[in-house]
Amino acid sequence: MNIEKMENYLKKIRSVQGCKVVIDENENIEEIHIVSNLRRNPKQILRDIEAILISEFDISIDYKKVSIAQIKGDAVQQESDPRLKIKSIEYNNNGSNVEVRVVLEKCGQTYESSMSGINTLSNINRILGNTVLRAVEKFCQVEDVFVFEDARRVSLSNVEVMVVSISSQLKGREEIYTGSAKIGNDAKEALARATMDSINRHILQLTL
């Protein structure tokens, strides 16, 4: 395996500033260490790494073997898994009203939000989506940027999928984002995951 050639390919990825590939005695990749700037989401960089390894070297790698250190000035932020994740979702039904509490987590830190409203199916979806977005805003240290717009349950190739749309108002510009998640045993959990899918790729621009 030509490690130098592989590293040179990976260094061509946009925003990547440095790269080190570590292999074992059987020439299997043990680790890939990447240094990048903050102009791109680490998840996008990770996808580019996977694409290059498959297309140029016919190698499929476990994403857990890739670590991405993002540099901002003199600070280095380690991002082996860049995603903000759902830690818990709780519901408190009070007859005609319902309260939703969402806790998100990243790097051991939690970000919590709760909202309440009329206990109807469509309104619960709206409350849940907006509660997730309020927790995201706490992580980003912003207010009133995201709004949950709509959710639809669709069937694709006999698989039930939740699709959501959200809007954002940032720096005077309105954007619409979409996300999706496979529905397992809990459609509401899928809605929360779809909401996170719609927003995770856009979080970086709010945290710079």
Side-chain angles (χ1 to χ4, degrees):
M1 182 185 300
N2 190 330
I3 298 302
E4 183 178 356
K5 180 181 178 182
M6 183 180 294
E7 289 176 345
N8 287 335
Y9 262 101
L10 296 178
K11 288 175 184 176
K12 294 177 182 179
I13 295 173
R14 185 158 57 93
S15 291
V16 170
Q17 299 178 335
C19 170
K20 177 67 175 179
V21 178
V22 180
I23 60 174
D24 61 20
E25 57 188 17
N26 297 316
E27 292 195 340
N28 296 315
I29 296 177
E30 282 192 329
E31 300 170 338
I32 296 179
H33 301 281
I34 298 290
V35 176
S36 78
N37 59 36
L38 289 171
R39 295 184 178 181
R40 298 183 70 209
N41 191 306
K43 191 173 182 180
Q44 295 173 313
I45 296 173
L46 177 59
R47 287 174 177 168
D48 288 349
I49 291 169
E50 292 173 331
I52 285 177
L53 291 178
I54 285 289
S55 63
E56 299 295 334
F57 301 96
D58 196 27
I59 295 175
S60 178
I61 188 171
D62 185 344
Y63 74 92
K64 295 177 182 178
K65 293 184 178 182
V66 180
S67 65
I68 301 174
Q70 291 200 291
I71 297 176
K72 180 181 181 182
D74 296 327
V76 177
Q77 179 181 7
Q78 189 66 24
E79 293 280 9
S80 58
D81 188 347
R83 295 171 298 176
L84 186 63
K85 297 181 179 180
I86 297 171
K87 183 178 182 181
S88 65
I89 302 172
E90 297 178 5
Y91 303 92
N92 184 16
N93 290 307
N94 298 309
S96 60
N97 280 21
V98 61
E99 181 181 21
V100 179
R101 176 176 174 267
V102 172
V103 180
L104 305 181
E105 182 179 29
K106 182 175 182 180
C107 300
Q109 296 292 318
T110 58
Y111 308 89
E112 178 183 332
S113 181
S114 62
M115 297 182 70
S116 59
I118 298 173
N119 191 0
T120 65
L121 179 58
S122 61
N123 200 43
I124 289 175
N125 288 345
R126 190 175 298 108
I127 292 170
L128 174 56
N130 279 315
T131 305
V132 170
L133 294 176
R134 295 294 82 75
V136 170
E137 289 180 344
K138 286 186 177 182
F139 166 74
C140 297
Q141 298 182 338
V142 298
E143 294 182 355
D144 301 325
V145 172
F146 303 111
V147 177
F148 184 86
E149 296 289 352
D150 199 5
R152 290 287 186 272
R153 184 171 182 154
V154 300
S155 180
L156 300 172
S157 301
N158 297 320
V159 175
E160 293 294 306
V161 178
M162 185 68 71
V163 180
V164 306
S165 66
I166 71 169
S167 61
S168 75
Q169 184 68 245
L170 182 63
K171 297 179 181 179
R173 185 175 64 182
E174 183 175 349
E175 299 279 357
I176 298 293
Y177 304 142
T178 61
S180 62
K182 181 179 177 181
I183 299 174
N185 297 323
D186 189 341
K188 292 186 180 65
E189 179 188 350
L191 184 144
R193 288 189 288 109
T195 303
M196 290 303 303
D197 179 63
S198 72
I199 198 63
N200 252 323
R201 73 197 72 171
H202 304 289
I203 287 176
L204 185 62
Q205 63 182 302
L206 294 175
T207 57
L208 293 178

